[in-house]
């Protein structure tokens, strides 16, 4: 189904961004929120983005005006009876999403796809509030939605192949890079990113390096920013929430470092509070390569976290970027083992969702899967369950297979 008319629910950071990218590809959009002031704020954000494109001369004023006119603000469901898709980007609570999906299921035409931009809630559960679970799908955009290319397209247990195909087609029409990810906690990008960030916390707590040293080592490896800069940018409280959620879902592989809890208790939430791992005097994140000022309170909090940690494990080696990359890579292989994603999509997702300039699976293939397994086993012996290698990796090494493309179900060109 070719989408011509869409509705977006929630005119906040994500909803306004999504409404804008829809309008940019010539789709009529209804942007709904609960109060007129929220709708107006969303529309003003979009207008500002279009104005900046005119300034940068990527659009003429007339083109920008025409695209902006495609978006109509609303505080009710008027016009929803004639849309091809609804993308919900309201607040992240299951009760609210269930109520919204029940309502839109009653109002929207039977052909309409009902998508959610949830970061972590179950698509299958959201779909259960409707009489069309086959037409409910996750479309997880990244922030800011106007600029980030990746969209994780997440089928729930009852989502039809046609719905997934239409969602993927819509992403491509919007100039996005869609990747199909079967429903699992954290979907793909957060599921892979958090073991890496969590491992950086454990390395810091052990004294393997300072936040600056660990960030520098990771950036030198080709990542757009180090884990501690990313913690501060994302918000320590949000990261702790995701860390605990993934730990609850996946168990010991995701054992969270106690350090974030101590930082939150001390009021260090990252950039938004003026200090996290680093001091952000003007609320700004230093650019790559610029020296950062480490939070002077951090060493006390690290000592407190050390006392809390239920392990006395010690890294046998000096810190190197592989220490934090291996858990991310290992989690990717767990996702392959569970058939959550196709191998060729892992590197695409991490490139367009996190800016990794070198493919995660490609790095492992270049180093050799046997080398990678050996490293994981070494860290597992020293540091425990966070490094337990997936059985798929062990199977591949035993079989003498050194290339993940052997696992591809369909040739990439056929998809
Ligand atoms: N911010 C991110 O980085 C990010 C990234 C990916 C996904 N998400 C997900 O996107 C969703 C929205 O996040 P956000 O950051 O844009 O939040 P936000 O707080 O900026 O905006 C949410 C908007 O939804 C509105 N809303 C609440 N109930 C509503 C209802 N019943 N009908 C219509 N509108 C309603 C609120 O008034 C608010 O304007 C969440 O599910 C979040 O998990 C967020």
């Amino acid at each position: 189904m070719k989408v011509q008319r869409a509705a977006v629910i929630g005119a906040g950071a994500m909803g306004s961004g999504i409404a804008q990218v829809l309008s940019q590809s010539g789709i009529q959009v209804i942007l709904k929120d609960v109060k007129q002031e929220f709708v107006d704020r969303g529309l003003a954000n979009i207008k500002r983005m279009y104005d900046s494109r005119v300034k940068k001369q990527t659009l003429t004023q007339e083109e920008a005006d025409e695209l902006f006119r495609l978006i109509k603000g609303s505080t009710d469901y008027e016009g929803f009876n004639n849309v091809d898709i609804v993308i919900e980007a309201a607040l992240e609570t299951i009760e609210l999403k269930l109520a919204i999906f029940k309502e839109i299921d009653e109002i929207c035409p039977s052909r309409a796809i009902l998508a959610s931009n949830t970061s972590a809630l179950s698509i299958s559960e959201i779909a259960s509030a409707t009489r069309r679970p086959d037409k409910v799908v996750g479309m997880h955009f990244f922030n800011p939605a106007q600029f980030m290319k990746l969209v994780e397209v997440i089928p729930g247990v009852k989502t039809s192949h046609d719905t997934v195909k239409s969602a993927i087609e819509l992403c491509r029409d919007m100039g996005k890079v869609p990747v199909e990810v079967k429903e699992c906690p954290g979907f793909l990008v957060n599921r892979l990113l958090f073991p890496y960030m969590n491992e950086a916390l454990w390395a810091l707590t052990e004294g393997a390096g300072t936040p600056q040293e660990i960030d520098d080592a990771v950036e030198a490896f080709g990542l757009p920013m180090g884990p501690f800069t990313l913690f501060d940018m994302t918000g320590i409280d949000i990261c702790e929430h995701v860390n605990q959620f993934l730990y609850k879902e996946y168990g010991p592989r995701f054992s969270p470092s106690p350090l974030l809890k101590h930082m939150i208790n001390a009021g260090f939430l990252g950039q938004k509070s003026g200090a996290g791992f680093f001091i952000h005097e003007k609320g700004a994140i230093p650019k790559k390569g610029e020296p950062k000022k480490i939070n002077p309170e951090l060493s006390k909090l690290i000592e407190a976290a050390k006392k809390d940690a239920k392990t006395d494990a010690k890294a046998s080696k000096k810190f190197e970027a592989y220490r934090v990359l291996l858990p991310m890579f290992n989690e990717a292989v767990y996702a392959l083992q569970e058939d959550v994603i196709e191998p060729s999509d892992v590197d695409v997702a991490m490139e367009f969702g996190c800016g990794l300039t070198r493919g995660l699976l490609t790095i492992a293939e270049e180093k050799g899967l046997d080398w990678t397994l050996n490293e994981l086993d070494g860290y597992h012996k020293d540091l425990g369950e966070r490094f337990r290698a997936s059985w798929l990796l062990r199977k591949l090494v035993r079989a003498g297979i050194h290339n993940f493309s052997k696992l591809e179900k369909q040739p990439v060109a056929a998809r």
Side-chain angles (χ1 to χ4, degrees):
M1 179 186 55
K2 193 91 184 148
V3 170
Q4 288 171 331
R5 275 180 282 269
V8 175
I9 297 192
M14 295 307 291
S16 59
I18 295 167
Q20 181 179 351
V21 286
L22 285 162
S23 70
Q24 272 172 195
S25 39
I27 296 170
Q28 286 181 29
V29 192
I30 303 168
L31 180 60
K32 178 189 182 290
D33 209 303
V34 285
K35 283 193 185 161
Q36 191 59 43
E37 60 185 284
F38 300 153
V39 174
D40 292 343
R41 190 187 50 194
L43 290 172
N45 283 341
I46 299 172
K47 178 86 176 58
R48 227 183 351 264
M49 294 305 292
Y50 271 131
D51 287 347
S52 101
R53 289 200 55 190
V54 172
K55 232 188 216 156
K56 288 185 192 137
Q57 300 185 331
T58 58
L59 281 180
T60 65
Q61 188 65 56
E62 293 70 37
E63 285 166 336
D65 290 345
E66 200 174 314
L67 295 176
F68 184 64
R69 271 198 298 272
L70 291 172
I71 309 168
K72 181 178 159 286
S74 175
T75 53
D76 58 32
Y77 286 121
E78 197 190 327
F80 275 63
N81 58 354
N82 195 20
V83 294
D84 303 311
I85 189 166
V86 180
I87 303 178
E88 171 275 322
L91 303 174
E92 186 78 346
T93 69
I94 190 67
E95 295 75 17
L96 177 65
K97 294 203 195 283
L98 291 174
I100 290 176
F101 273 71
K102 187 170 184 306
E103 282 171 13
I104 57 180
D105 182 43
E106 279 159 17
I107 292 155
C108 293
S110 58
R111 68 171 188 281
I113 291 174
L114 309 181
S116 174
N117 182 46
T118 177
S119 309
L121 299 171
S122 162
I123 301 302
S124 305
E125 186 174 0
I126 293 171
S128 73
T130 75
R131 291 158 304 172
R132 61 177 100 186
D134 57 314
K135 290 203 165 63
V136 177
V137 69
M139 286 179 78
H140 184 216
F141 290 75
F142 288 72
N143 192 10
Q146 294 93 333
F147 301 113
M148 294 296 287
K149 289 265 176 206
L150 185 71
V151 181
E152 293 179 318
V153 173
I154 304 131
V157 284
K158 292 186 180 165
T159 311
S160 73
H161 182 62
D162 278 353
T163 300
V164 174
K165 234 174 96 193
S166 298
I168 286 178
E169 210 175 296
L170 172 62
C171 292
R172 295 209 170 110
D173 287 348
M174 292 188 290
K176 298 293 180 195
V177 176
V179 161
E180 183 180 341
V181 182
K182 303 240 170 59
E183 186 181 329
C184 65
F187 308 139
L188 188 80
V189 169
N190 286 336
R191 175 175 175 180
L192 267 54
L193 201 55
F194 274 82
Y196 146 85
M197 292 178 59
N198 188 39
E199 196 51 39
L201 294 173
W202 284 106
L204 177 70
T205 313
E206 271 165 27
T210 66
Q212 177 87 57
E213 284 165 352
I214 294 174
D215 270 11
D216 287 350
V218 171
E219 286 171 15
F221 200 88
L223 274 80
M225 69 178 75
F228 295 107
T229 303
L230 187 56
F231 271 121
D232 278 5
M233 223 174 102
T234 311
I236 307 293
D237 48 344
I238 292 174
C239 292
E240 168 68 355
H241 180 78
V242 179
N243 246 2
Q244 292 294 345
F245 164 71
L246 292 172
Y247 174 52
K248 191 169 132 247
E249 296 287 336
Y250 291 109
R253 220 163 59 231
F254 282 75
S255 285
S257 152
L259 181 56
L260 295 187
K261 209 173 51 206
H262 287 283
M263 293 182 70
I264 295 167
N265 290 343
F268 297 124
L269 303 184
Q271 185 184 9
K272 62 187 170 191
S273 72
F277 291 96
F278 303 108
I279 297 292
H280 307 282
E281 266 143 13
K282 291 185 204 98
I285 289 280
K287 299 220 165 45
K288 198 169 169 177
E290 266 179 22
K292 299 164 199 164
K293 197 167 151 200
I294 293 176
N295 182 347
E297 298 296 313
L298 194 58
S299 48
K300 259 194 277 169
L301 302 173
I302 290 175
E303 282 313 309
K306 253 188 208 161
K307 281 196 194 121
D308 277 4
K310 290 191 181 66
T311 167
D312 56 0
K314 285 267 176 304
S316 56
K317 303 185 197 178
K318 189 175 158 300
F319 180 82
E320 52 172 33
Y322 285 112
R323 158 99 189 248
V324 290
L325 289 170
L326 282 165
M328 179 167 19
F329 161 77
N330 194 33
E331 200 53 38
V333 189
Y334 272 101
L336 293 177
Q337 177 176 305
E338 293 164 16
D339 207 13
V340 158
I341 188 152
E342 289 286 319
S344 56
D345 285 339
V346 173
D347 287 356
V348 173
M350 297 313 280
E351 179 184 346
F352 291 99
C354 307
L356 255 68
T357 50
R358 296 170 68 191
L360 199 55
L361 299 188
T362 310
I363 296 169
E365 286 168 349
E366 282 168 8
K367 290 295 286 183
L369 298 193
D370 44 357
W371 178 88
T372 310
L373 177 61
N374 201 34
E375 286 291 298
L376 276 168
D377 284 346
Y379 277 114
H380 180 250
K381 194 163 151 274
D382 290 340
L383 299 174
E385 286 307 299
R386 300 192 306 277
F387 288 90
R388 179 178 289 281
S390 70
W391 59 250
L392 177 61
L393 179 62
R394 207 171 291 285
K395 183 168 86 172
L396 292 176
V397 170
R398 283 182 181 143
I401 295 171
H402 293 285
N403 192 322
F404 286 100
S405 64
K406 296 276 185 299
L407 301 173
E408 207 78 45
K409 278 195 263 343
Q410 274 185 61
V412 178
R415 275 190 271 139

